[in-house]
């Protein structure tokens, strides 16, 4: 067990979050620092995810580190049929750090228990994806100049969307106000509303993506509404366009408003929003590089500055 | 009515009393008594003022450490442990639910790592009152204590 591992955003304190944001800001200015010279990072993608893997591998490469690993266990016969424990122990002999993605929930937590090198969770099924949360926090911080006292509107699939759940939990330190905008079938689960109540976080809940909600928001966080989440296909057809953002809907929004989306999008943000200066989702993805450089250097115990 | 008459008196050993009848055989399994060489007496559906009816397990010549005996707290929160020496109860205390439950409960989430890897499950007790709620250390799925599936 290595205490620099990052499995869930809920494992780290407010100070650690602020330290990671500080590091991310540093790497935005010094993206090509060669501070991982001689370090080897293993990227183990038991489940393929090109987007996340490229972001992590770019982060390592720009810091001068080396990468070993695999991007699809199907191509790696030695991993197939081997227990996760054995794979992690084997790789621990070679690497200084493991970045792993796995389709099974809890895989990264278990990995931390069988090795002494740090583990970064790059997604474990529907469970946790803390580097996504860090890049979301960094994007909010960068565009608003602060994390405290913001009105954040979460739209779309609030039931299954792990990114919105993790963001909600991480924001508990920063006195946010949330608007939950979703169809009834995809509403925010009770346990997260209980969490808000316990933490004293204000929220509203509505199925109506109304001008009132949009025009009072500092951040609108859009998520994908997937057909397969609905038990009734008719219900999907009825609601799918209600949670699509069009440029005209932003006419009276606050000047500091920014639109976030974890990407990839399907049709929940119309392409006519892309040229609006309030559209931030492409830069948001770019921030993932700095957030991951921050997480990697923290995991390796490297101090910057 | 004296339940003690229903089963033989114990010279030395442990009596686990006030177990819900429905949990008796689970408790036997959790404590590994299926394979013990010691004399084990099991009673079910005995009259009880407290529980309506209760179960009881008597194990001769054996005492359990707290960590072992508390493994049954999840399924038998009302259980009371009596340690017998020389036909006398020398110690009597209720079971206590530990903060972490290792290797007893199966996670109900089929996509949980614990259901796909040879490893012990681990649940953290996240609520004790009014109802016990436990949460999988790995996948974070929560379940009410009385709904938990015993391995
Ligand atoms: Zn689980």
């Amino acid at each position: 067990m290595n205490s620099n591992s990052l499995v869930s955003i809920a494992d780290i304190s407010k100070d650690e979050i602020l330290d990671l944001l500080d590091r991310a800001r540093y790497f935005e200015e010094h993206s090509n620092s060669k501070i991982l010279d001689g370090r080897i990072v293993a990227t183990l993608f038991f489940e393929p995810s090109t987007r996340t893997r490229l972001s992590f591998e770019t982060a390592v490469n720009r810091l001068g580190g080396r990468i070993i690993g695999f991007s699809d266990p199907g191509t790696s016969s030695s991993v197939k049929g081997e227990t996760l424990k054995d794979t992690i122990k084997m790789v621990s002999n070679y690497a200084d750090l493991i970045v792993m993605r796995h389709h099974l929930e809890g895989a990264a937590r278990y990995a931390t228990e069988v090795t002494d090198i740090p583990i970064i969770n790059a997604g474990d099924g529907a469970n946790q994806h803390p580097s996504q949360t860090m890049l979301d926090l960094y994007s909010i911080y960068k565009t608003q100049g602060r994390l405290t006292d913001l009105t954040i509107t979460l739209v779309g699939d609030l039931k299954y969307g792990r990114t919105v759940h993790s963001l909600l939990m991480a924001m508990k330190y920063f006195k946010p106000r949330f608007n939950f905008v979703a169809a009834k079938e995809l509403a925010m689960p009770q346990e997260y509303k209980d969490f808000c109540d316990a933490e004293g976080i204000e929220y509203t809940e509505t199925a109506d993506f109304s001008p009132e909600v949009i025009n009072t928001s500092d951040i609108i966080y859009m998520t994908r509404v997937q057909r397969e989440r609905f038990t009734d296909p008719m219900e999907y057809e009825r609601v799918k366009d209600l949670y699509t953002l069009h440029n005209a809907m932003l006419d009276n929004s606050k000047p500091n408003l920014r639109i976030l989306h974890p990407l990839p999008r399907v049709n929940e943000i119309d392409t006519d929003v892309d040229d609006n200066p309030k559209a931030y989702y492409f830069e948001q993805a770019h921030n993932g590089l700095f957030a991951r450089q921050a997480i990697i250097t923290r995991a390796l115990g490297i101090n910057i500055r | 009515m004296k339940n003690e008459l229903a089963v033989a008196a114990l010279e030395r050993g442990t009596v686990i009393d006030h177990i819900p009848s429905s949990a008796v055989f689970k408790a036997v399994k959790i404590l590994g008594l299926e394979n013990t060489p010691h004399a084990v007496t099991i009673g079910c559906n005995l009259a009880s003022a407290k529980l309506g009816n209760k179960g009881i397990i008597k194990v001769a010549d054996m005492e359990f450490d707290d960590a072992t005996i508390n493994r049954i707290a999840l399924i038998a929160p009302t259980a009371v442990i009596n340690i017998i020496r020389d036909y006398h109860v020398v110690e009597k205390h209720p079971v206590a639910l530990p903060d972490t439950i290792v290797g007893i409960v199966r996670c109900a989430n089929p996509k949980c790592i614990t259901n796909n890897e040879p490893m012990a499950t681990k649940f953290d007790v996240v609520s004790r009152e009014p109802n016990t709620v436990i949460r999988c250390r790995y996948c974070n799925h929560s379940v009410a204590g009385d709904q938990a599936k015993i391995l």
Side-chain angles (χ1 to χ4, degrees):
Chain A
M1 180 87 76
N2 184 301
S3 61
N4 288 335
S5 294
L6 183 59
V7 172
S8 163
I9 203 75
D11 294 344
I12 62 172
S13 66
K14 179 181 181 179
D15 284 349
E16 286 172 298
I17 289 174
L18 294 175
D19 171 64
L20 284 170
L21 293 175
D22 205 39
R23 285 171 186 263
R25 194 168 44 183
Y26 174 84
F27 287 120
E28 179 152 17
E29 289 156 15
H30 306 85
S31 194
N32 290 315
S33 317
K34 298 291 175 211
I35 55 180
L36 291 191
D37 194 25
R39 307 292 186 113
I40 294 177
V41 176
T43 53
L44 309 186
F45 278 62
F46 297 89
E47 171 192 63
S49 170
T50 305
R51 190 177 286 275
T52 303
R53 184 173 58 84
L54 290 182
S55 180
F56 269 110
E57 294 189 349
T58 304
V60 174
N61 279 317
R62 287 198 180 277
L63 296 176
R66 301 280 187 132
I67 291 161
I68 59 171
F70 50 82
S71 55
D72 178 2
T75 62
S76 171
S77 58
S78 64
V79 169
K80 249 181 162 176
E82 190 178 56
T83 63
L84 176 62
K85 178 179 178 175
D86 289 7
T87 304
I88 296 294
K89 282 197 165 296
M90 180 262 291
V91 173
S92 299
N93 292 327
Y94 309 130
D96 302 302
L97 165 68
I98 291 174
V99 176
M100 62 179 281
R101 187 180 182 99
H102 204 288
H103 62 286
L104 292 173
E105 295 163 26
R109 175 82 63 208
Y110 179 57
T112 65
E113 295 178 0
V114 301
T115 183
D116 289 327
I117 73 167
I119 302 282
I120 294 173
N121 185 6
D124 59 333
N127 192 26
Q128 301 293 326
H129 191 12
S131 67
Q132 176 71 47
T133 312
M134 281 313 306
L135 81 87
D136 291 343
L137 290 174
Y138 184 57
S139 297
I140 294 170
Y141 175 69
K142 209 173 117 182
T143 59
Q144 306 298 320
R146 64 184 206 275
L147 282 175
T148 44
D149 280 319
L150 294 169
T151 299
I152 299 174
T153 297
L154 307 174
V155 186
D157 180 357
L158 307 188
K159 184 172 180 187
Y160 300 101
R162 69 177 171 190
T163 56
V164 295
H165 300 157
S166 298
L167 179 61
L168 185 153
M169 307 231 301
M171 284 302 295
K172 74 171 179 182
Y173 301 115
F174 307 106
K175 282 210 306 169
R177 286 173 301 278
F178 283 109
N179 298 311
F180 303 145
V181 181
K184 213 173 163 197
E185 282 211 42
L186 298 180
M188 184 63 77
Q190 188 59 43
E191 63 174 299
Y192 294 102
K193 292 189 272 180
D194 290 345
F195 176 86
C196 288
D197 291 337
E199 297 289 338
I201 296 171
E202 281 177 51
Y203 63 89
T204 69
E205 198 176 18
T206 173
D208 186 11
F209 194 17
S210 66
E212 191 197 344
V213 164
I214 292 169
N215 297 342
T216 55
S217 298
D218 301 305
I219 292 288
I220 295 180
Y221 197 106
M222 303 292 298
T223 62
R224 209 144 45 113
V225 175
Q226 291 165 281
R227 181 190 302 268
E228 55 269 28
R229 298 298 193 197
F230 286 80
T231 45
D232 177 4
M234 291 299 287
E235 180 65 12
Y236 169 77
E237 293 301 327
R238 196 183 67 75
V239 306
K240 66 173 184 187
D241 295 326
L242 297 178
Y243 305 99
T244 299
L245 186 65
H246 299 277
N247 197 35
M249 295 161 74
L250 298 173
D251 285 350
N252 295 310
S253 60
K254 292 171 77 169
N256 63 307
L257 170 72
R258 293 295 178 274
I259 314 297
L260 304 187
H261 188 297
L263 301 182
R265 68 173 156 176
V266 185
N267 60 351
E268 53 281 343
I269 301 178
D270 195 300
T271 50
D272 72 359
V273 181
D274 294 357
D275 293 329
N276 190 317
K278 293 173 184 175
Y280 194 73
Y281 27 94
F282 298 119
E283 291 95 325
Q284 178 189 3
H286 188 200
N287 288 337
L289 179 61
F290 315 127
R292 290 180 174 115
Q293 289 180 316
I295 292 168
I296 288 165
T297 53
R298 173 188 173 271
L300 288 168
I302 295 171
N303 287 318
I304 53 164
R305 303 194 211 215
Chain B
M1 131 151 220
K2 294 200 55 115
N3 292 323
E4 283 75 6
L5 297 177
V7 281
L10 212 54
E11 182 188 345
R12 208 185 86 82
T14 304
V15 176
I16 309 167
D17 200 0
H18 298 291
I19 306 170
S21 285
S22 60
V24 167
F25 288 98
K26 280 182 187 171
V28 166
K29 196 177 159 195
I30 288 171
L31 294 174
L33 296 176
E34 289 156 320
N35 302 312
T36 179
H38 299 293
V40 178
T41 314
I42 296 168
C44 277
N45 301 318
L46 309 173
S48 159
K50 241 202 263 180
L51 295 176
N53 78 70
K54 67 169 183 179
I56 192 166
I57 302 171
K58 295 191 176 194
V59 188
D61 303 321
M62 204 174 163
E63 292 179 15
F64 300 85
D65 58 57
D66 284 350
T68 304
I69 206 81
N70 285 337
R71 289 163 59 91
I72 69 167
L74 187 71
I75 55 148
T78 52
V80 175
I81 311 304
N82 299 271
I83 295 171
I84 315 286
R85 288 176 199 151
D86 197 17
Y87 297 101
H88 285 93
V89 176
V90 294
E91 204 184 310
K92 181 173 186 155
H93 59 85
V95 290
L97 187 63
D99 293 332
T100 305
I101 297 161
V102 179
I104 296 170
V105 177
R106 176 190 294 282
C107 184
N109 174 10
K111 288 188 189 156
C112 179
I113 185 73
T114 61
N115 287 316
N116 294 274
E117 177 92 1
M119 60 186 283
T121 64
K122 251 180 232 148
F123 283 79
D124 295 311
V125 176
V126 291
S127 167
R128 289 169 182 273
E129 295 292 333
N131 297 307
T132 305
V133 177
I134 60 175
R135 183 169 63 208
C136 176
R137 173 81 60 91
Y138 298 98
C139 75
N140 294 313
H141 274 238
S142 299
V143 64
D146 54 1
Q147 301 290 311
K149 282 205 171 66
I150 304 301
L151 278 166

